[in-house]
Amino acid sequence: TAEATTAAAGAISGATPGPYTVAVPSGTKPESALALEIVNTAVKTIAHWIPITKRAAADAGQVRTLVDNFLLYGLAEELEDQILNGDGNGENFTGILQSSPETVGSAGTDIDAIVDAIAKIRTVGRRKPNALVIHPNDWYSAGFLTAKNGVNGGYLVGDPRASIDQLNTLWGLRVVVSEAMTENTALVGDFRQAVLWKREAPSILVSDQHSDFFVRNLLAILAERRDAFGVLDPSGFCTVTAV
């Protein structure tokens, strides 16, 4: 990772060019400093498996499809939880919420608090936030999606007849509704500052060489993926309490 400890860029003076001369800067160019820090993050394995009978797999192809989709979806759910909440212990990622992001308290309504978080990221981290992550119980509430004005009862966030893409936008941020997000807490961030390195894509493996599965005509269907995750700049993220 890199952090600019001294950003001294500025204008410098130069000679005034004449009809037959070339401008030559006469001022000394300012020097900035950039502190570099090497940070290692290990590749982690996310996996789970399920038993199934050979007869079910052979007689009903859709059963195998359902099992595969169930297992792959489970990997995606766990990955999402790790990216947000991983505590860095053992085989867990160090998630965004555990990377010491900026924080702000609620200021007036919940919608106003999101603006405070945007301003904090812009001024402290000098980053440009592009998304908001929020728990469904918070987003689908009177604090956000169903908030109404006190004049004619109109919705503040958007027309209920609008498309889901139009409704999932707030203050120019894409809204990501996730059950993995801590309830009563919203996360605003420049998610370009969080990087997922995919070491091995999700895969499905099948074997009868587990315990006594061979003699019992059972199969073990395993899904796994290998990834590494890191937050490049924690000041690019800010949590806000939604009360």
Side-chain angles (χ1 to χ4, degrees):
T1 60
E3 180 180 357
T5 55
T6 305
I12 60 172
S13 61
T16 302
Y20 305 106
T21 62
V22 177
V24 178
S26 59
T28 301
K29 298 177 179 65
E31 178 181 352
S32 294
L34 184 67
L36 299 177
E37 179 183 359
I38 297 176
V39 178
N40 295 321
T41 182
V43 175
K44 308 291 187 178
T45 299
I46 297 175
H48 64 150
W49 68 279
I50 192 172
I52 186 174
T53 65
K54 287 185 178 179
R55 181 174 298 177
D59 293 348
Q62 65 268 31
V63 172
R64 169 65 191 276
T65 300
L66 290 172
V67 170
D68 289 357
N69 290 337
F70 166 77
L71 290 173
L72 293 175
Y73 190 80
L75 295 183
E77 283 190 315
E78 176 61 17
L79 179 66
E80 185 176 16
D81 186 59
Q82 288 285 335
I83 288 174
L84 289 173
N85 304 302
D87 60 11
N89 295 323
E91 291 303 306
N92 295 321
F93 294 157
T94 298
I96 296 173
L97 295 176
Q98 301 298 323
S99 64
S100 300
E102 300 294 328
T103 60
V104 296
S106 180
T109 67
D110 298 332
I111 295 176
D112 290 338
I114 301 302
V115 176
D116 292 341
I118 294 173
K120 190 71 170 286
I121 294 172
R122 292 299 301 264
T123 56
V124 176
R126 298 196 71 178
R127 301 296 182 184
K128 296 181 180 180
N130 53 17
L132 159 69
V133 183
I134 190 169
H135 192 276
N137 287 343
D138 295 324
W139 180 242
Y140 302 114
S141 71
F144 287 97
L145 194 58
T146 60
K148 299 177 182 178
N149 64 50
V151 179
N152 57 13
Y155 287 97
L156 296 177
V157 174
D159 189 332
R161 295 168 296 180
S163 69
I164 192 66
D165 290 335
Q166 290 174 308
L167 290 177
N168 283 1
T169 303
L170 186 67
W171 300 118
L173 304 177
R174 177 189 176 190
V175 177
V176 178
V177 182
S178 172
E179 297 85 350
M181 186 61 199
T182 303
E183 195 169 351
N184 294 322
T185 300
L187 175 66
V188 178
D190 177 357
F191 283 83
R192 290 162 295 196
Q193 303 307 314
V195 181
L196 178 69
W197 293 276
K198 296 182 180 180
R199 182 62 180 85
E200 291 182 8
S203 60
I204 297 289
L205 302 173
V206 182
S207 175
D208 59 6
Q209 301 301 308
H210 171 71
S211 185
D212 59 351
F213 276 26
F214 178 76
V215 296
R216 295 174 59 199
N217 280 333
L218 292 175
L219 297 173
I221 304 181
L222 168 70
E224 70 176 26
R225 63 181 298 157
R226 299 180 66 224
D227 305 273
F229 176 77
V231 176
L232 302 180
D233 185 3
S235 66
F237 298 89
C238 184
T239 58
V240 56
T241 303
V243 295

